[in-house]
Amino acid sequence: MKTPAYRQGLYVMLTMLCAVLATGCKEDEEVYNTYSNLPAKFTMQNTLQAPALHNALNNMGEFCTVTITKDGKQFMFKGSGKEPSYVNITAENDYNGFYLGLSGLVIGLPNIPEMGKDNPSVICFDLACSNCYEKYHITKPLGMQDAGYAHCSSCNRTYNLNDGGIVSSGEGGVRLYRYRVNYYPNNTLVVNNG
């Protein structure tokens, strides 16, 4: 039994439409990829030992930077409080390896849930200005500002950490590089990107 011509035409049109939609979604996914493909790796098994980090992980709108001290012996956590927290880099950290992105990490709990989510979840950005890196291939660390903003003194852009790291003032551009992060109920934080 032969399929009527209009049904064959309908099948062809549906097949073409599915192919176009699948291709379009893939292109959109590549252009608007949420996470950077840059490497970042950091684990903190007890965030209570770094009060600035613990505060940023448990209070909406709070963010903390994670860098290494100049002598390379400690992680430095700096939040909205004036005093940073320091934690020694242990043999376990060295054994498991860590990589704090281009200039360090910015970790926190935004006060705005991401699209499609009911509650905010912990996010992690690179501390480097993504636009300076894209344009000049240099790492310019951001300065943290109150209320969930980070500013680049080189290109004069300000990024909104509560809204996915988008440029909120200055010349437009790409949003901050974002890394995959998980925060577990036992106060363990894991950044693992790449």
Side-chain angles (χ1 to χ4, degrees):
M1 183 167 128
K2 286 189 168 184
T3 306
Y6 73 90
R7 276 195 170 168
Q8 286 179 339
L10 183 61
Y11 289 138
V12 170
M13 284 178 49
L14 285 173
T15 303
M16 290 174 58
L17 180 61
C18 288
V20 167
L21 288 175
T23 307
C25 290
K26 186 171 182 166
E27 287 173 6
D28 286 346
E29 185 179 302
E30 290 170 7
V31 172
Y32 300 108
N33 193 1
T34 303
Y35 300 101
S36 169
N37 60 359
L38 296 170
K41 182 179 179 185
F42 175 72
T43 300
M44 183 76 158
Q45 291 189 357
N46 181 6
T47 61
L48 292 169
Q49 61 185 321
L53 177 63
H54 190 74
N55 183 49
L57 295 170
N58 292 287
N59 293 294
M60 290 175 39
E62 291 289 328
F63 292 88
C64 172
T65 62
V66 182
T67 56
I68 298 173
T69 56
K70 290 182 182 183
D71 64 6
K73 294 181 180 180
Q74 294 180 311
F75 293 112
M76 182 172 68
F77 304 90
K78 185 148 177 53
S80 58
K82 294 182 180 179
E83 294 298 318
S85 306
Y86 297 92
V87 175
N88 291 335
I89 296 174
T90 63
E92 182 180 345
N93 294 119
D94 280 339
Y95 178 74
N96 292 328
F98 61 89
Y99 189 73
L100 302 181
L102 298 170
S103 290
L105 305 175
V106 178
I107 300 172
L109 185 61
N111 58 19
I112 301 171
E114 292 184 83
M115 191 178 299
K117 293 186 179 180
D118 293 331
N119 297 310
S121 57
V122 172
I123 56 175
C124 178
F125 300 107
D126 200 294
L127 186 58
C129 175
S130 52
N131 287 286
C132 286
Y133 188 74
E134 292 275 325
K135 189 170 184 178
Y136 304 111
H137 299 288
I138 55 174
T139 55
K140 291 290 185 177
L142 301 169
M144 298 298 289
Q145 297 179 330
D146 290 337
Y149 290 91
H151 181 75
C152 177
S153 59
S154 181
C155 69
N156 207 29
R157 287 180 176 89
T158 300
Y159 298 91
N160 186 341
L161 303 173
N162 286 302
D163 196 10
I166 63 169
V167 177
S168 62
S169 69
E171 184 181 340
V174 298
R175 62 183 60 217
L176 290 176
Y177 296 136
R178 184 170 169 185
Y179 300 129
R180 288 171 181 81
V181 61
N182 289 302
Y183 181 51
Y184 299 101
N186 66 350
N187 293 319
T188 298
L189 174 79
V190 177
V191 176
N192 195 359
N193 204 72

